[in-house]
């Protein structure tokens, strides 16, 4: 037993005093996360056989007000046609309140400008939409994984009240599994179900990604996802997500 203990101690001591070895192990973690991410993303790309690749790029800021309250501001640009056309841009503000260790509620207002055909069909214009949504979120640790569930109610309407067909209300259920670990990389997969009130389920969003902790306050998130239409024609595209988050 003493020899075994000495052997373990010597290995730990050797690791602490070998920066090159630590760096190698970090690289090993990066490779594992990188491989895991591509194993998750590649099947979605193959499934969608996307003729069009889109990009959703955004920046978010979260400010802690008290132990339970926090404020959030997010902006995002969405590109389509192989990232050559600005399809939409948006900005949102919201508040979140921590009910318990595992439960949280939040409310947001979002302004959206979407690229649409103009009335005489000769060109395009950006039309304004307003969205209000409220979330109820739950998280729980499952062995080495983390489970997150989010229930969302959202209502969206166009500034032009005559365009009633563009007004909609949804209930969304999102399920996510992530793998928190000692490295800077947290991979995850998620599925989001869209239920339009009055019409039923019409969309499912499947996503795989990785969250990278740059330091205590800054994070970068990379993801790949597809929207699967349950009603109507299927969109033949694959979306890349890139977001930068600041929390203080």
């Amino acid at each position: 037993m003493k020899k075994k203990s000495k052997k373990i101690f010597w290995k730990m001591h050797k690791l602490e005093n070998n920066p090159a070895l630590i760096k190698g192990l970090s690289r090993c973690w990066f490779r594992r996360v990188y491989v895991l991410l591509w194993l998750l993303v590649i099947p979605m790309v193959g499934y969608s056989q996307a003729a069009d690749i889109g990009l959703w790029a955004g920046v978010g800021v979260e400010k802690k007000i008290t132990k339970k309250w926090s404020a959030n501001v997010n902006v995002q640009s969405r590109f389509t046609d192989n990232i050559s056309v600005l399809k939409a841009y948006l900005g949102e503000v919201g508040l979140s309140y921590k009910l318990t260790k595992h439960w949280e509620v939040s409310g947001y207002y979002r302004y959206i400008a979407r690229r649409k055909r103009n009335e005489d069909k000769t060109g395009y214009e950006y039309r304004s939409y307003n969205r209000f949504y409220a979330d109820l979120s739950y998280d729980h640790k499952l062995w080495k994984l983390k489970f997150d569930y989010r229930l969302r109610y959202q209502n969206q309407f166009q500034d032009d009240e005559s365009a009633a067909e563009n007004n909609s209300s949804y209930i969304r259920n999102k399920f996510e599994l992530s793998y928190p670990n000692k490295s800077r990389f947290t991979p995850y997969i998620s599925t989001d179900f869209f239920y339009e009130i009055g019409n039923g389920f019409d969309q499912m969003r499947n996503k795989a990604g990785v969250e990278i902790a740059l330091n205590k306050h800054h994070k970068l998130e990379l993801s790949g996802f597809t929207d699967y239409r349950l009603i109507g024609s299927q969109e033949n595209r694959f979306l890349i997500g890139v977001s930068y988050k600041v929390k203080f």
Side-chain angles (χ1 to χ4, degrees):
M1 284 295 288
K2 287 184 178 180
K3 288 183 178 180
K4 189 174 181 180
S5 299
K6 287 181 179 179
K7 191 175 181 180
I8 294 172
F9 173 80
W10 172 247
K11 286 183 178 180
M12 292 174 65
H13 179 74
K14 187 177 179 181
L15 178 62
E16 289 175 357
N17 293 277
N18 194 335
L21 183 57
I22 294 174
K23 188 176 181 180
L25 289 172
S26 299
R27 287 178 179 175
C28 181
W29 268 111
F30 174 79
R31 292 191 191 102
R32 289 179 183 177
V33 173
Y34 181 82
V35 171
L36 176 60
L37 176 61
W38 278 105
L39 285 175
L40 294 170
V41 170
I42 287 174
M44 292 197 297
V45 178
Y47 174 77
S48 64
Q49 296 179 342
D52 174 32
I53 295 178
L55 170 67
W56 291 11
V59 177
V61 178
E62 180 181 341
K63 168 63 177 176
K64 199 82 172 176
I65 301 172
T66 67
K67 288 184 178 181
K68 290 184 176 291
W69 285 99
S70 59
N72 300 271
V73 178
N74 302 297
V75 294
Q76 188 182 80
S77 297
R78 298 180 177 181
F79 298 87
T80 187
D81 294 348
N82 294 318
I83 319 179
S84 63
V85 175
L86 179 61
K87 180 70 174 177
Y89 57 90
L90 62 91
E92 65 178 21
V93 292
L95 288 173
S96 299
Y97 179 76
K98 196 78 174 176
L99 294 170
T100 66
K101 182 180 178 181
H102 300 288
W103 291 93
E104 183 178 84
V105 293
S106 55
Y108 283 81
Y109 163 73
R110 175 184 292 184
Y111 170 80
I112 310 165
R114 283 204 181 100
R115 187 173 184 263
K116 298 284 186 179
R117 280 277 191 184
N118 54 23
E119 291 184 3
D120 55 10
K121 309 298 182 183
T122 58
Y124 292 89
E125 62 184 9
Y126 288 92
R127 297 180 187 171
S128 298
Y129 295 80
N130 300 279
R131 178 183 297 181
F132 295 91
Y133 66 88
D135 292 347
L136 176 64
S137 303
Y138 171 80
D139 66 80
H140 192 77
K141 190 173 182 181
L142 297 173
W143 188 53
K144 293 185 177 181
L145 303 176
K146 182 186 175 188
F147 169 75
D148 287 271
Y149 169 71
R150 186 202 68 199
L151 174 65
R152 171 175 292 180
Y153 169 76
Q154 69 181 46
N155 177 261
Q156 179 174 292
F157 58 91
Q158 192 174 350
D159 281 351
D160 181 2
E161 294 181 0
S162 63
E165 69 275 7
N166 292 309
N167 302 339
S168 60
S169 295
Y170 276 87
I171 292 176
R172 294 168 56 177
N173 290 273
K174 181 180 177 182
F175 304 87
E176 180 178 298
L177 277 177
S178 59
Y179 176 53
N181 54 80
K182 293 181 180 180
S183 75
R184 294 178 179 269
F185 307 92
T186 304
Y188 68 87
I189 55 173
S190 69
T191 298
D192 193 355
F193 295 95
F194 292 67
Y195 179 87
E196 185 175 14
I197 296 175
N199 293 319
F201 288 100
D202 65 359
Q203 182 179 320
M204 179 173 64
R205 178 173 296 163
N206 300 312
K207 180 186 286 190
V210 60
E211 190 177 76
I212 306 167
L214 303 176
N215 54 44
K216 185 179 179 181
H217 301 289
H218 299 261
K219 291 182 180 180
L220 179 66
E221 185 176 335
L222 306 174
S223 62
F225 57 102
T226 58
D227 286 336
Y228 180 72
R229 300 288 179 180
L230 302 176
I231 298 175
S233 59
Q234 176 66 26
E235 290 187 344
N236 192 23
R237 64 173 181 163
F238 178 75
L239 296 163
I240 299 168
V242 181
S243 66
Y244 184 78
K245 299 179 181 179
V246 181
K247 185 177 181 180
F248 61 96

